[in-house]
């Protein structure tokens, strides 16, 4: 390749990486403080919201909507029906988590954004500097914000909020600026001619004039924060987004729709309540006093019931454990089984679905206690190399795992060397960060007959869907496959022989925990070390989930039938 | 000592001020200066005194710098050079805080488009100036209500500006300015956005008000009639420079230069006057389609006692007096039967010829073109005025 100016490629990537690393190392104190205080603030908010009994929450909110807009029944009815539906779908907890995340992200974005908008409207210089930054922020794909967010704050609510704030900030700044710019010139002159100070002008004329614009900007900001919920769930932000993401990874249309509709209901309710603030004094009829009082009473009922509920709920929970996992069917099975077993033995377990790379990073940074999803020695080779000094590998929890390129048995190829131009020279893969993808890429590079082949990333859920489509049409397809996996039970498939062993030989799934777990939490450490089961057992749980059981239920059923084995983990 | 003295006041907008000022001295036009330097000369070397309690009118066409001048007085626009002296104190170098105090206590402004705050009620608008000064709510409300009562708007105090007519809004603007009890009222084309009738009314009100409050009022307008009605003294501006200051009478009788002369619509005496140049638009009534009630209604509205009658083809037909219309209504006759004849002249008939016609006529004279289309009417006063002016020029017309 001839370079345009024959200058060497700029190490931009390294510069950014080094910059972020420098920040992470030198500012870790600040970041940790923010992470801890932010986490406890959000946990507190969620605890408070979930402590309000659902019926009281729904009815009080519906009445609040009705008291604040007489003669309009749309919103109260939507609140009653919509929130009842969410609760009926067992998503209430997720909804409250999402509400917490959206509330704090929007709140902080507005607290930063509105003053920025005021400043840029007063100072052309500030606007000249901030405007390009805002444009940059607005056009940068939201995913990019997740990377430094994890580096700075690890996983969970705080990095999710951090990314949401950056992503959602621009509209409120832009529209505040615009609204203040559009205050009619003669009104500004009038305010000046009566001797208003800058502040008096701002509060008595400019902000009231710009209010509709500021509210519109705030609404956009809140909606963007809401839309970030799904993206932020990739780095462990809990809530409805996690359900959507997991549905995407499993190609589960129904679950995706249910979580999505819950988000839509939340979005509409929030939007309508914010819209209420945007009143035109000329056309608005003043609310009668009793309605105002009644509305405040509803707010008070919610606050009191929340406070009472949180006090009652704050009785000390058991030992806390956080497990990270990747949204692969195998890992959903194993993590749920272990989590359920630990719960039955008095632990409080949080499971967090994460991208593979983030999962390893979180163990290394002691963000989570451990994971039972480490595929070694080949699949996660790169991860282990990167973090081996920072994690504690406890050993195998499942053996006899195999990775490879997989084809339906109606195709007449048996070895990777036999491939030439089948399936459009395309291998259907899973998430780009997964270990099996690294191995597959290496395979393409080492087999000469695979030159010109390409590897298409998708997701663990989309890959079986693609397989299903091809299989039904008897079309050729090559996938990155691994056992244990339920597709081998559902379809007639075969592994392609791998003479060069680039896809790895026999592998095992391992348990990896954070470096200091043995010291700080020996009981958990012991359980994690003891956790072992077989490929058949895993397969049965996977099949249960595949045929429609919830992961928790499948895990419970497994524990019932294998009681003695499960108990042995806790000895 | 004059209330306000202005000495060598100049304002140039833009960057190359020196070059622009040099070109002004060379008598270059505003456009030329802008093309060359990209700077605009707002006002240039203004010198004038305004006395206590007078209504001082500043006139000029748009772009003459009159609005800039009024904003220089309370320093909403910062002067480039020159001095503004208020009560013997030069305020050109007052700092921000002192200037706020001047604006709060001494000067209030009324704007062409009222500039009322749409999100505040009438009362909140009226008390704005006092609110800015930090006067206690009860006190400022009382004073604002007093000002609103003086302009007959107290019953609207809880409404919003958008719910009021233009005339009412401007009364609120005036009340807002007066609530502060300032020494000086700056009025920037305050009545230009109102329709002519309301405008007339507001001018009367302002004159009545002036009898009671005796403020110093600096009033800007581009309308000569308005200036002559309310101004004690008038200053005429062109391209940012002052042309003449004087009473209305002085300006009409001794215009300082050609510009002023043309501006006050003084007729060009070298030209022989004809019917077209002194006619005014006639008020018409269509005798084929309209009836006596419409005719009477229109006379009442327009405050006249007769209308020119035309037919459906807009051809001149005759003259309809109010008496005739009343008769038609009583006896249920069509208008055609009661209208009277009216002398007609062509547009190019000269004034001295019209004189003899109008002398005998009981009605105005109609000006119609060759196709008998109505062009306008001539009233007695216009003819006399025209002749008086030509006589003054020594062109006796006997």
């Amino acid at each position: 390749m001839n370079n345009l100016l024959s200058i060497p490629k700029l190490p931009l990537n390294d510069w950014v990486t080094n910059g972020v690393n420098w920040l992470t190392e030198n500012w870790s104190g600040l970041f940790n403080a923010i992470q801890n205080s932010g986490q406890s603030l959000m946990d507190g908010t969620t605890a408070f919201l979930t402590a309000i009994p659902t019926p009281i929450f729904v009815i009080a909110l519906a009445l609040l909507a009705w008291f604040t807009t007489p003669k309009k029944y749309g919103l109260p009815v939507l609140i009653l029906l919509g929130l009842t539906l969410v609760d009926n779908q067992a998503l209430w907890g997720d909804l409250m988590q999402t509400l917490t995340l959206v509330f704090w992200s929007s709140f902080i974005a507005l607290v930063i954004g509105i003053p920025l908008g005021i400043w840029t409207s007063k100072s052309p210089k500030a606007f000249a500097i901030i405007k390009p930054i805002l444009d940059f922020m607005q056009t940068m794909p939201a995913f990019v914000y997740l990377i430094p967010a994890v580096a700075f704050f690890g996983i969970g609510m705080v990095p999710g909020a951090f990314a949401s704030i950056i992503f959602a900030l621009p509209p409120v700044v832009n529209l505040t600026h615009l609204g203040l710019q559009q205050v009619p010139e003669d009104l500004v002159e009038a305010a000046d001619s009566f001797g208003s100070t800058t502040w008096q002008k701002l509060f008595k004329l400019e902000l009231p004039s710009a209010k509709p614009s500021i509210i519109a900007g705030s609404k956009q900001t809140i909606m963007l924060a809401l839309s970030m919920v799904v993206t932020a769930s990739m780095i462990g932000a809990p809530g409805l987004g996690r359900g959507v993401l997991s549905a995407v990874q499993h190609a589960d249309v129904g679950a995706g729709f249910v979580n999505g509709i819950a988000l839509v209901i939340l979005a509409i309710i929030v939007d309508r309540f914010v819209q209420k603030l945007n009143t035109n004094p000329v056309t608005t009829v003043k609310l009668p006093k009793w309605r105002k009082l009644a509305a405040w009473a509803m707010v008070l009922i919610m606050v009191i019931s929340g406070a009472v509920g949180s006090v009652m709920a704050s009785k000390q929970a058991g030992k806390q454990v956080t497990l990270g996992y990747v949204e692969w069917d195998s890992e959903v099975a194993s993590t749920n089984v272990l989590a359920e077993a630990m719960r039955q033995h008095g632990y409080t377990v949080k499971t967090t679905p994460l991208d593979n790379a983030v999962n390893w990073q979180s163990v290394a940074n002691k963000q989570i206690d451990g994971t039972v999803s480490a595929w070694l020695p080949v699949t996660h080779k790169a991860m282990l190399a990167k973090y081996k000094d920072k994690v504690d590998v406890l050993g195998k929890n499942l053996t006899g795992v195999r990775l490879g390129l997989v084809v339906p048995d109606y195709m007449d190829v048996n070895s990777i060397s036999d491939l030439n131009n089948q399936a459009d020279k395309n291998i259907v893969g899973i998430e780009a960060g997964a270990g099996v993808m690294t191995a597959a890429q290496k395979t393409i590079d080492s087999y000469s007959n695979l030159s010109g082949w390409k590897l298409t990333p998708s997701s663990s859920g989309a890959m079986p869907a693609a397989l299903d489509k091809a299989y039904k049409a008897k079309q050729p397809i090559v996938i990155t496959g691994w056992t244990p996996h339920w597709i081998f039970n559902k379809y007639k498939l075969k592994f392609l022989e791998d003479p060069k062993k680039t896809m790895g030989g026999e592998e095992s799934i391992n348990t990896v925990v954070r470096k200091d777990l043995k010291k700080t939490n020996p009981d958990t450490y012991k359980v994690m070390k003891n956790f072992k089961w077989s490929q058949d057992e895993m397969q049965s749980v996977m099949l249960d989930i595949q045929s429609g059981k919830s992961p928790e239920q499948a895990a419970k059923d497994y524990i019932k039938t294998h009681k003695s084995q499960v108990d042995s983990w806790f000895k | 000592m004059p209330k306000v003295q202005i000495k060598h006041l100049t304002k140039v907008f833009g960057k190359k001020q020196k070059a622009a000022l040099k070109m002004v001295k060379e008598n270059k036009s505003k456009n030329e200066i802008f093309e060359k330097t990209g700077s605009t000369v707002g006002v240039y070397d203004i010198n004038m005194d305004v006395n206590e309690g007078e209504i001082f009118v500043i006139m000029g066409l748009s772009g003459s710098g009159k609005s800039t001048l009024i904003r220089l007085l309370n320093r909403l626009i910062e002067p480039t050079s020159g001095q503004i002296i208020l009560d013997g104190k030069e305020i050109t170098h007052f700092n921000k805080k002192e200037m706020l105090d001047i604006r709060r206590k001494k000067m209030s402004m009324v704007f062409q488009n009222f500039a009322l705050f749409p999100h505040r009620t009438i009362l909140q608008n009226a008390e704005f100036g006092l609110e800015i000064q930090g006067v206690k709510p009860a006190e400022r409300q009382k004073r604002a209500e007093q000002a609103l009562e003086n302009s007959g708007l107290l019953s609207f105090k809880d409404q919003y500006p958008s719910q009021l007519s233009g005339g009412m809004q401007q009364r609120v603007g005036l009340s807002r300015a007066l609530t502060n009890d300032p020494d000086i009222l700056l009025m920037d084309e305050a009545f230009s956005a109102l329709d002519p009738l309301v405008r007339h009314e507001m001018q009367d009100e302002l004159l009545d008000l002036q009898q009671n409050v005796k403020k110093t009022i600096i009033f800007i307008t581009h309308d000569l009639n308005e200036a002559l009605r309310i101004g004690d003294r008038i200053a005429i501006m062109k391209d940012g420079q002052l042309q003449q200051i004087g009473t209305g009478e002085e300006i009409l009788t001794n215009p300082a230069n050609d510009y002023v002369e043309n501006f006050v619509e003084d007729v060009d005496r070298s030209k022989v006057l004809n019917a077209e140049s002194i006619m005014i638009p006639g008020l018409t009534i269509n005798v084929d389609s309209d009836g006596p009630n419409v005719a009477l209604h229109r006379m009442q509205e327009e405050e006249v006692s007769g209308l020119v009658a035309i037919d459906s083809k807009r051809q001149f037909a005759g003259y309809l007096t109010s008496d005739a219309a009343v008769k038609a209504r009583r006896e249920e006759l069509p208008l055609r039967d009661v209208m009277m004849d009216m002398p007609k002249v062509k547009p190019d008939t000269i004034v001295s010829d019209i004189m003899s016609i109008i002398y005998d006529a009981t009605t105005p004279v109609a000006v119609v073109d060759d196709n008998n289309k109505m062009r306008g009417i001539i009233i007695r006063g216009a003819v006399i005025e025209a002749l008086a002016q030509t006589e003054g020029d020594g062109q006796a017309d006997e």
Side-chain angles (χ1 to χ4, degrees), chain B residues 49-341:
Chain B
D49 294 347
V50 180
N51 300 318
E52 180 111 36
E54 75 172 336
I55 300 185
F56 188 93
V57 178
I58 301 170
M59 281 196 66
L61 300 171
S62 39
S64 58
K66 51 191 193 309
S67 290
T68 305
L69 178 57
I70 207 169
R71 284 167 177 71
L72 285 166
L73 295 183
N74 63 357
R75 284 182 53 204
L76 286 180
I77 296 175
E78 289 294 338
T80 307
S81 62
Q83 298 172 296
I84 303 160
I85 297 158
L86 176 69
D87 290 332
K89 285 200 212 88
E90 194 190 328
I91 61 168
T92 335
H93 300 299
F94 270 23
N95 66 23
K96 203 170 171 178
K97 201 169 160 304
E98 288 167 317
M99 208 56 229
L100 284 186
D101 216 49
I102 294 273
R103 289 180 194 162
R104 288 175 179 188
K105 303 265 161 69
K106 295 239 168 173
M107 295 186 179
S108 287
M109 201 158 173
V110 182
F111 295 82
Q112 176 175 1
N113 295 320
F114 327 136
L116 297 179
F117 303 122
H119 57 277
R120 294 172 144 247
T121 62
I122 301 306
L123 182 66
Q124 289 168 332
N125 264 289
E127 68 183 8
F128 183 80
L130 296 175
E131 186 180 324
I132 290 295
Q133 293 173 37
V135 176
K136 288 205 165 59
E139 162 78 2
R140 67 184 190 226
Q141 212 162 319
K142 206 177 79 194
R143 284 167 62 182
E145 281 177 355
Q146 186 56 52
L148 287 172
E149 191 163 21
N150 293 345
S151 51
L153 289 172
L154 192 54
S155 51
F156 296 94
K157 71 180 169 98
D158 292 325
Q159 305 234 312
Y160 287 88
S162 57
Q163 298 165 293
L164 267 55
S165 70
M168 287 176 171
Q169 289 191 45
Q170 195 51 301
R171 286 191 190 97
V172 176
L174 198 55
S175 307
R176 179 175 69 176
L178 289 167
T179 306
N180 276 7
D181 202 19
D183 297 0
I184 302 172
L185 267 185
L186 305 173
M187 300 180 79
D188 180 18
E189 301 214 21
F191 306 148
S192 303
L194 305 171
D195 68 62
L197 281 177
V198 178
R199 194 167 176 172
H200 211 97
E201 221 173 278
M202 291 291 292
Q203 288 163 2
D204 290 342
E205 274 176 37
L206 185 68
L207 290 168
D208 290 349
L209 183 83
Q210 182 65 344
Q211 296 299 319
N212 303 328
V213 296
K214 280 275 171 256
K215 303 268 178 220
T216 307
I217 299 176
I218 298 177
F219 193 100
I220 283 192
T221 180
H222 58 248
D223 173 355
L224 181 69
N225 296 329
E226 186 160 77
L228 293 171
R229 274 199 80 198
I230 64 172
D232 294 325
R233 285 194 302 146
I234 300 172
I236 296 184
M237 289 182 71
K238 174 197 173 212
D239 283 357
Q241 301 186 44
L242 218 47
Q243 306 293 312
Q244 186 173 8
I245 301 181
T247 60
E249 195 61 32
E250 283 166 3
I251 283 180
L252 289 176
T253 47
N254 296 318
N257 56 27
D258 291 353
Y259 178 79
V260 177
E261 202 169 321
N262 289 331
F263 191 84
V264 296
E265 292 180 337
D266 213 345
V267 278
D268 183 353
R269 288 165 207 167
S270 60
K271 197 173 78 186
V272 179
L273 289 178
N274 57 20
E276 204 168 9
S277 58
I278 59 166
M279 73 185 184
I280 55 170
L283 298 163
T284 59
I285 179 95
N286 184 335
V287 287
D288 290 341
S289 60
D290 296 335
N293 286 324
V294 174
L296 285 165
H297 177 78
R298 179 163 305 172
M299 289 179 200
Q300 204 176 343
E301 276 294 296
E302 305 284 3
E303 298 169 351
V304 293
S305 59
L307 297 168
V308 180
I310 52 171
D311 61 16
S312 293
K313 295 197 184 104
R314 303 202 59 74
Q315 302 256 314
F316 168 75
Y319 189 71
L320 182 77
T321 61
S322 52
D323 294 348
V326 171
K327 182 170 171 232
R329 182 161 69 179
R330 215 176 30 233
E331 302 175 12
E332 295 185 355
L333 294 166
L335 286 178
R336 242 184 207 289
D337 298 357
V338 296
M339 69 185 188
M340 54 192 290
D341 204 17

Side-chain angles (χ1 to χ4, degrees), chain A residues 65-237:
Chain A
W66 185 68
F67 285 137
T68 46
T69 33
K71 297 200 185 90
K72 290 230 171 100
Y73 299 104
L75 182 58
V77 169
L78 174 86
I79 290 173
L80 283 177
L81 295 181
L83 293 185
T84 309
L85 176 72
V86 172
D87 189 38
N88 164 276
Q89 294 294 318
L91 292 174
W92 187 260
D94 286 346
L95 184 78
M96 292 300 120
Q97 300 258 33
T98 298
L99 188 59
T100 304
L101 187 62
V102 170
F103 173 79
W104 285 111
S105 312
S106 312
F107 179 77
I108 295 166
L110 297 181
V111 165
I112 298 170
I114 292 174
L116 262 184
I118 294 171
W119 187 38
T120 53
S121 74
K122 295 278 172 203
S123 151
K125 213 175 262 171
F127 183 65
I129 295 168
I130 289 172
K131 178 75 184 154
I133 297 176
L134 285 181
D135 292 343
F136 180 86
M137 278 164 66
Q138 230 173 345
T139 42
M140 182 64 91
F143 282 96
V144 177
Y145 299 131
L146 301 180
I147 310 166
V150 173
F152 296 153
F153 304 110
I155 54 162
M157 279 235 188
V158 176
F162 170 82
S164 301
I165 290 165
I166 295 180
F167 181 66
L169 193 61
V172 72
V173 180
N174 279 329
L175 279 160
T176 302
H177 172 91
L178 190 72
L180 290 173
Q181 290 283 302
Q182 286 177 335
V183 177
E185 191 57 43
D186 56 350
L187 294 187
V188 176
E189 260 187 344
D192 278 334
S193 74
F194 285 98
S196 316
T197 61
T198 310
W199 288 108
Q200 284 175 324
K201 196 162 60 173
L202 182 68
F203 284 109
K204 292 185 193 296
L205 166 67
E206 291 169 324
L207 288 179
S209 285
K211 190 173 133 183
S213 185
I214 294 174
I215 299 264
S218 308
K219 266 168 67 174
Q220 283 193 27
T221 285
I222 293 168
M223 290 304 134
L224 285 183
L226 248 170
S227 70
M228 263 305 270
V229 168
V230 178
T231 317
S233 65
M234 297 178 71
I235 50 171

Side-chain angles (χ1 to χ4, degrees), chain A residues 480-492:
Chain A
T480 57
W482 63 92
T483 58
H485 199 303
W486 53 265
I487 53 173
F488 292 95
N489 295 50
K490 193 163 174 179
Y491 311 103
K492 289 206 167 77

